[in-house]
Amino acid sequence: HDLLALGGFSMEEYNSLTYSMAATNFPDDEILNNFTSAATKGAIRETHTANSLISEFVRATYKFNNRYILSGTLRADGSSRFGPDRRWGFFPSGAIAWLITEENFMKSPNVKRYVSYLKLRASRGLAGSQNLGNYAWRSGIGSARYNENPAIIPSTIGNSELQWEETLMTDIGLDYGLWGERIRGSFGVYEKLTDQLIYSRPLPPSSAASSISSNVASMRNRGIEFDVKVDVVKSTDLILTIDFNTAKNRTEVLKINEVTKEIPM
């Protein structure tokens, strides 16, 4: 029995405060090149943005008889980019593997001469993405001038229901090594189903905005992968290796704007 476990906690914070001012048409390039000497002064801008991410995770791997492997991961992520009720996402994953070459029927000299390594594996897991701006869930306001007086106008429409994008991935593969690892590589098939994609959803003109960010899209990826490495020359002084890989992927946009469906790509 072999058991390995890991637990962790991480915190990230990002803050940015920016001031900028533009000016052109200076009377002199060497002396009178300060902003107050410019004949044309542009807009003065100030921006402040911030976000934070908290993550908790635990991982465990169990191996029995050096041939059967079981592993699992559970993580929870909380992001300030989402509304108070939608900030946390929970993403579990699991994997199993079978080291076939560790079985007794694979250890005979006649078999080991040709097959030196063989591992069958499968995994399935959920991953999340915070693919949006820092304040997309909140409605924004801006300044304007109305009848020569300062005024406040809405600039963006927020959506407090925004949540994590989720990708469910399933992968099955075979890793191999032949003739003492002189030929080695892997073959695998996979499927990725991404749901709750954040995309612009049209709004009626009466809302004073053309669109709003929402979890409305989904897409699916299916594919196969194959790679092989061959040591054509292998000696103490020289190793010459040829590497070949190929892959095929098919992507389907299943839903967009909650209207269009089944768009093959």
Side-chain angles (χ1 to χ4, degrees), residues 186-205:
S186 64
F187 173 80
V189 295
Y190 65 87
E191 180 185 69
K192 291 173 61 177
L193 180 61
T194 304
D195 198 14
Q196 305 296 338
L197 281 169
I198 298 174
Y199 196 72
S200 296
R201 178 163 56 92
L203 291 177

Side-chain angles (χ1 to χ4, degrees), residues 101 104-116 177 179:
T101 44
N104 293 329
F105 63 84
M106 295 291 295
K107 293 184 178 181
S108 66
N110 290 332
V111 176
K112 292 188 68 175
R113 183 185 310 168
Y114 302 103
V115 183
S116 52
W179 288 286

Side-chain angles (χ1 to χ4, degrees), residues 18 118 124 178 189 202 206 216 242:
T18 305
L118 207 58
R124 186 176 177 88
L178 308 174
V189 295
S206 58
V216 291
I242 297 177

